[in-house]
Amino acid sequence: MSFRLVRGALCAAAALLLAVPAAADLADGLAGCAAISANQDRLACFDRLAEQATTDVFSGKGGGMTGAFTVETPRLLHFESSDVIMIATLLRADGSVAQNLHQAGRGVGRHLIAIPGEYRLQVDASGAWRVWLSTPGQDGVRTD
């Protein structure tokens, strides 16, 4: 069996394992909302779930800048590279640097954005990349 095939299978398995806590949390949340008998309360519950699950997702190839996104409560910034290197600069609304980030090789890095504000991400990568936000603890990633 080729090394590439084995590495690909291991990466796919790791991605599935990392997704399980988020899927389980969502399934539990959906079941809890569905069990509420009052229509207005049930709808409010589903609305809260949808708001928590909503993430800003940006992707590109090579260099690029994400659109602006607002952080009101702590959020995890996930940055994924599909190639050799990815350098990302988290910028505040005024253009100042909040954090320099990098991902060497294929994979996903994470950074906790704890300070509320409006941000953008400047990305320079040798291949395709993807960036998204999640709520700490709801995606199985601990921040403590």
Side-chain angles (χ1 to χ4, degrees):
M1 192 178 293
S2 77
F3 175 73
R4 236 183 213 176
L5 182 61
V6 170
R7 184 177 64 183
L10 289 173
C11 288
L16 286 173
L17 288 173
L18 289 173
V20 168
D25 289 346
L26 180 58
D28 290 345
L30 289 170
C33 291
I36 297 171
S37 59
N39 289 342
Q40 188 172 8
D41 293 339
R42 186 173 55 253
L43 178 58
C45 181
F46 283 126
D47 285 347
R48 279 191 305 276
L49 259 182
E51 183 178 313
Q52 290 171 353
T54 301
T55 59
D56 294 303
V57 179
F58 307 97
S59 62
K61 187 172 184 178
M65 177 81 76
T66 68
F69 56 91
T70 301
V71 171
E72 295 176 356
T73 60
R75 301 291 300 268
L76 273 178
L77 172 69
H78 305 259
F79 47 100
E80 178 179 34
S81 174
S82 69
D83 203 16
V84 179
I85 194 159
M86 174 183 181
I87 299 170
T89 306
L90 182 63
L91 302 169
R92 296 180 188 95
D94 66 3
S96 63
V97 175
Q99 187 70 40
N100 288 309
L101 308 161
H102 75 279
Q103 177 63 39
R106 293 179 181 190
V108 178
R110 293 177 183 85
H111 172 71
L112 178 66
I113 304 174
I115 300 172
E118 186 172 302
Y119 296 91
R120 295 174 73 94
L121 196 69
Q122 170 66 48
V123 178
D124 293 298
S126 56
W129 53 269
R130 189 170 67 112
V131 175
W132 67 97
L133 296 170
S134 70
T135 302
Q138 290 189 337
D139 55 5
V141 178
R142 294 177 53 153
T143 58
D144 53 352

